[in-house]
Amino acid sequence: MLFRSKLYGIFAAGRPTLYVGEPESEGGWLLREHNCGRALPTATGPSLATAIVESWKDSGGRLVQGANARRLAEEGSLANCAAAFAKVFRTQLGADR
C-alpha cells in the first residue's frame, strides 16, 4: 500500500496521529484499522485540546500507536510496493516456478 498523503511522512516518523477529518475517510480508516492514531471529525479548540491531553496521558498507548505507524510506513514503502509488483510480474511470466 503506497500512501499519497501527508500521513505517510507522519507514519514514517513513528508518531501517533491526530487527524482532523471524516473518521470514515481513508485517513480515518488507516488510523483506526492500524491503531496508529485518532480521527477527529471537527477541529474545535476544546475538542482538539482534549484529544491532545488524552493522548499525552496515555504514554503506553502513544508508544504502541507510534510503533504501529512506523510499521505501516515501512510496509507501504515504495521499495516494498515495487517488490510486490515485481513478484506478481515474475509469477505471471512463470519466472517463479
Side-chain angles (χ1 to χ4, degrees):
M1 167 184 324
L2 181 62
F3 308 115
R4 295 180 187 94
S5 71
K6 295 175 186 177
L7 287 176
Y8 182 78
I10 296 166
F11 293 157
R15 300 289 189 258
T17 302
L18 287 175
Y19 169 79
V20 178
E22 288 299 318
E24 297 307 315
S25 67
E26 181 182 5
W29 178 85
L30 284 169
L31 295 171
R32 187 175 54 258
E33 183 72 15
H34 298 281
N35 186 29
C36 54
R38 180 174 164 196
L40 302 172
T42 58
T44 65
S47 68
L48 188 56
T50 298
I52 291 168
V53 169
E54 288 173 355
S55 178
W56 182 254
K57 287 180 178 179
D58 184 11
S59 61
R62 280 196 329 271
L63 290 173
V64 168
Q65 289 181 337
N68 290 345
R70 179 64 188 183
R71 186 172 27 264
L72 183 58
E74 289 171 355
E75 290 170 0
S77 73
L78 183 57
N80 285 341
C81 289
F85 280 119
K87 182 176 181 181
V88 169
F89 290 132
R90 284 192 309 272
T91 300
Q92 292 302 312
L93 295 172
D96 276 357
R97 295 180 197 191

